[in-house]
Amino acid sequence: MALTKASARAELEAANAVGDPVADTLVGDLIDHQEVDGVNHLFRTINKIGPDQDLSQLPPRLAEFMKEAAAPLPGWSEADTKAAEGFFAHHHGVASMLQGTVGLIGTYLSPTGAFTLRSTGRLGGVQGPGRRLSQSSRLFLDMGDANALRDGSLAATVTKVRLVHASVRQLHKKSGVWDYAKWGEPVPQKYTVGAAFVFSTQILQAMRNLGLEVSREDADGFVGAWHYVSHYLGTLEKWLLPKSAADAEVVWNQERDQEWAKTDDGVFMTRQAVDFYRKFLPPGIHDAFVAMVRTALTDKYADMAGLQHSLLDVAGKPLAAGNSLFTGTASGLFGGTAKKVVGVNPYEEVIGVASKAFNDVERYALTHDEDDQPQMHQELNDNR
């Protein structure tokens, strides 16, 4: 039974006190036995391990965990798989870009989530968020692969994220500075459920805000894909988001303002993310890109995230209303190629440019230092 409007408030409160006992026990044991270096090497191979491949090269306890983690999702059907594949066939590029921008910024609007991410800066690279962002983009990329929901590759990618979450919980536990009474469990099931809503429902709303049409069938497929991902993150069945996009949106609209707020950590993380993406964008595009993100998020949440305003914000306003006019300033950013034409979405060009830039981020994810940076550490340190 997934979350409903009636059950969400109480269930999410309960989920805030729950981590992932099975993964936590495994990772805690690996850290206690100072096997972190070996585990980092193993983590780098997990994405390549399918459900039918030989796991004998792994330590027995990790191999057993991987076998159990790869078990099929109860209630998942061929129709669910086809619906998800339909969404990615039509919208993968744009959705991935929005997940890596609007979606990640949305996770920073959770005060506890933003604090957790910032305080584990070593897991993201203390000089900036590049590694963490590129790792996240890898998940968004993998979700749209042709057979990702069939061959076990997506489940393996998500299981890697599940283990990293467990390592964060262990680091906070061992640090002795985490305030359990105030914040609940580090990276609790509530946070993973909330992130699933952000990366699915919030992205569908962002697409709508940008004037991009998504059919009901495709929307259901996208939310269903995140129902699938949530399961492999170790989420209990009662806390999974609904497969129906409409049902998920009802829950998210009810709960979002209970969870999102402006914080110094959230603004800091957002600024780092925007600065990181700047280097992948062509010259002169950055202001239009930020204006696009603001329009996708809406001013209310963009202001919470500390996204700056610009003259181009005005150009974006008619977009949601369907007027679709570029100002001369916006047109100039694109070398005069954008036209003031009623009925044409003026953000199609900046969305295209941003999606291409996000492809570069994805390549960065696949090649950055050959993924040889540690994913687990013996101690907590945000280096701020």
Side-chain angles (χ1 to χ4, degrees):
M1 179 65 179
L3 290 169
T4 66
K5 181 178 180 181
S7 70
R9 186 66 50 84
E11 291 294 347
L12 289 174
E13 185 63 30
N16 198 45
V18 179
D20 184 348
V22 175
D24 292 345
T25 298
L26 169 66
V27 172
D29 190 40
L30 293 171
I31 292 177
D32 287 344
H33 288 83
Q34 298 185 334
E35 298 179 43
V36 169
D37 289 341
V39 173
N40 284 329
H41 175 72
L42 292 171
F43 276 6
R44 289 191 287 272
T45 70
I46 286 175
N47 282 345
K48 302 176 183 178
I49 299 175
D52 299 321
Q53 292 182 349
D54 180 18
L55 302 177
S56 62
Q57 76 273 26
L58 303 179
R61 55 194 165 180
L62 183 56
E64 185 61 29
F65 174 85
M66 293 298 297
K67 289 177 184 177
E68 293 178 0
L73 166 59
W76 187 259
S77 67
E78 174 65 14
D80 293 326
T81 297
K82 287 184 176 179
E85 290 173 340
F87 173 85
F88 291 117
H90 299 138
H91 305 290
H92 187 208
V94 171
S96 293
M97 181 272 291
L98 291 174
Q99 286 176 311
T101 52
V102 173
L104 285 175
I105 290 171
T107 64
Y108 305 155
L109 291 176
S110 165
T112 304
F115 172 81
T116 305
L117 288 166
R118 190 176 181 187
S119 65
T120 54
R122 294 188 66 188
L123 298 178
V126 295
Q127 302 305 321
R131 187 176 184 283
R132 196 196 302 274
L133 292 174
S134 63
Q135 286 284 347
S136 298
S137 76
R138 191 173 298 186
L139 171 59
F140 309 145
L141 174 67
D142 288 353
M143 289 182 74
D145 283 352
N147 294 307
L149 291 156
R150 300 178 184 275
D151 62 10
S153 59
L154 178 58
T157 297
V158 177
T159 298
K160 175 180 176 180
V161 176
R162 181 183 177 184
L163 290 171
V164 172
H165 285 174
S167 75
V168 172
R169 281 189 293 273
Q170 290 300 307
L171 290 175
H172 276 297
K173 179 180 179 180
K174 295 174 185 301
S175 74
V177 300
W178 184 264
D179 189 336
Y180 285 86
K182 178 180 179 181
W183 295 317
E185 187 75 12
V187 197
Q189 295 222 1
K190 177 182 179 180
Y191 179 82
T192 56
V193 172
F197 277 105
V198 172
F199 289 127
S200 60
T201 301
Q202 188 68 36
I203 296 308
L204 290 172
Q205 291 182 348
M207 294 175 78
R208 188 186 310 149
N209 293 338
L210 290 169
L212 303 174
E213 294 185 6
V214 179
S215 70
R216 180 183 60 80
E217 293 79 10
D218 280 354
D220 285 345
F222 188 41
V223 172
W226 277 95
H227 176 96
Y228 177 99
V229 167
S230 294
H231 166 76
Y232 287 105
L233 282 173
T235 305
L236 298 180
E237 184 177 359
K238 64 180 178 179
W239 293 330
L240 294 175
L241 72 165
K243 292 181 187 177
S244 160
D247 291 345
E249 186 167 30
V250 167
V251 174
W252 181 234
N253 286 347
Q254 172 182 276
E255 298 301 319
R256 175 174 46 208
D257 286 353
Q258 299 293 317
E259 303 302 322
W260 279 8
K262 185 172 186 176
T263 64
D264 289 343
D265 289 325
V267 171
F268 174 85
M269 297 289 290
T270 297
R271 184 171 62 251
Q272 274 202 325
V274 171
D275 288 346
F276 171 74
Y277 283 115
R278 183 190 298 269
K279 62 187 174 185
F280 293 96
L281 294 166
I285 292 295
H286 187 256
D287 283 354
F289 169 76
V290 173
M292 181 271 292
V293 174
R294 284 194 63 90
T295 300
L297 269 173
T298 73
D299 283 340
K300 177 179 180 179
Y301 301 117
D303 288 344
M304 281 187 186
L307 281 171
Q308 70 267 33
H309 289 269
S310 78
L311 291 174
L312 299 186
D313 293 346
V314 178
K317 300 308 178 191
L319 179 61
N323 293 328
S324 303
L325 291 176
F326 253 126
T327 65
T329 304
S331 180
L333 280 173
F334 298 102
T337 60
K339 298 178 181 178
K340 298 180 182 179
V341 180
V342 176
V344 175
N345 185 333
Y347 267 136
E348 284 186 358
E349 188 162 358
V350 71
I351 289 169
V353 171
S355 296
K356 182 179 183 300
F358 195 73
N359 289 336
D360 294 334
V361 175
E362 290 168 347
R363 283 193 290 273
Y364 179 92
L366 297 174
T367 61
H368 179 49
D369 291 337
E370 297 182 353
D371 199 23
D372 63 357
Q373 297 184 56
Q375 297 184 44
M376 293 174 62
H377 291 278
Q378 295 292 142
E379 70 278 347
L380 185 69
N381 180 12
D382 67 357
N383 207 45
R384 79 175 84 177

